[in-house]
Amino acid sequence: LRRWVITWVAIVGALYFILWLGLDLWVLATFSAMLLLAGPWYLIRRLAARRRQKIEDQLADAMVMFSNGVRAGLSLAQSLELLAQECPRPIHQEFQQIVGEYNLGKPLERTLTEAKERLRSENFLLFAAALLASRESGGRLNETVERISRSVVELQRLERKVRAETAQARKSAVYMAIVPAFILVTYFYLDPENTRLLFITFPGQLLLSICAVLNMGAYFWAVKIL
């Protein structure tokens, strides 16, 4: 990842100097460089959010498998090891890390606490709370985890319903974000001389940059609301 980021920064730097020194478009060069430098950060955040969503989707099945292991007579640590071996990616990586740290001597309470901080998942928070409560006071852990898994399944069903009902609105936000670029291209064919001024003059470049910022702000605002 570090090598890819360094390569991307080098490409952005080369593009910046080409636009600035080669074409004398320093305002657009600065804006483009700032936008492109934010690309890796945005991409990594999106990949992390996608991975976290996969973990959320797999957590209910993992809890059912865990409760079955406890019912079959496995200890808490053995049931977690079962999850580390049998669960699909990416959730099995998290359980592998928990089991690996526990086998190296770290207390289970600490490994679960660190996993909660790492995943930032409300569903995993409930799961970890049930495990810690069972460690402290005992009780029928498999029944507790089964109830939590049923609650998680219902929450996931509601979330999928909400996502399905807002899918059209999210697509509309994407279309609205793309439309200004098409309008700019259309104006370039209708009035190329005046449209070119947006790229070769300082006020035009500044205006384009401000419009791009407002357009991106509107898109992210719409997505956040939805």
Side-chain angles (χ1 to χ4, degrees), residues 50-207:
R50 189 176 300 174
R51 183 179 185 275
R52 191 175 295 118
Q53 185 60 48
K54 282 185 179 180
I55 290 174
E56 293 280 1
D57 294 339
Q58 296 168 354
L59 193 56
D61 292 335
M63 285 192 284
V64 172
M65 188 184 301
F66 178 87
S67 63
N68 290 336
V70 172
R71 187 185 292 111
L74 298 179
S75 66
L76 194 151
Q78 289 172 330
S79 299
L80 288 175
E81 193 167 350
L82 176 67
L83 299 184
Q85 294 172 355
E86 300 296 333
C87 286
R89 294 184 64 182
I91 195 171
H92 89 99
Q93 296 170 324
E94 298 297 332
F95 286 119
Q96 279 180 344
Q97 184 167 346
I98 292 172
V99 172
E101 292 175 353
Y102 176 72
N103 290 336
L104 288 174
K106 187 181 290 188
L108 185 61
E109 291 79 3
R110 185 177 170 188
T111 61
L112 290 173
T113 301
E114 291 176 354
K116 288 190 295 184
E117 295 172 355
R118 185 170 61 249
L119 291 175
R120 290 179 294 172
S121 164
E122 293 184 3
N123 296 331
F124 187 83
L125 187 67
L126 291 172
F127 177 62
L131 300 189
L132 294 175
S134 174
R135 291 271 291 183
E136 291 177 4
S137 57
R140 302 178 68 86
L141 178 60
N142 61 314
E143 293 182 1
T144 303
V145 173
E146 281 180 1
R147 285 198 297 270
I148 294 174
S149 67
R150 287 196 295 269
S151 301
V152 169
V153 168
E154 180 64 18
L155 285 171
Q156 289 174 350
R157 186 188 68 79
L158 293 173
E159 287 173 359
R160 283 194 291 269
K161 183 179 179 182
V162 170
R163 284 200 297 268
E165 291 182 352
T166 59
Q168 187 61 43
R170 290 200 304 274
K171 285 184 180 178
S172 299
V174 174
Y175 298 151
M176 287 189 291
I178 295 174
V179 161
F182 285 102
I183 293 176
L184 184 62
V185 172
T186 303
Y187 270 108
F188 184 79
Y189 282 103
L190 295 175
D191 190 3
E193 217 168 289
N194 287 324
T195 306
R196 196 176 291 112
L197 295 176
L198 291 172
F199 295 91
I200 62 176
T201 63
F202 173 77
Q205 294 177 45
L206 189 61
L207 186 62

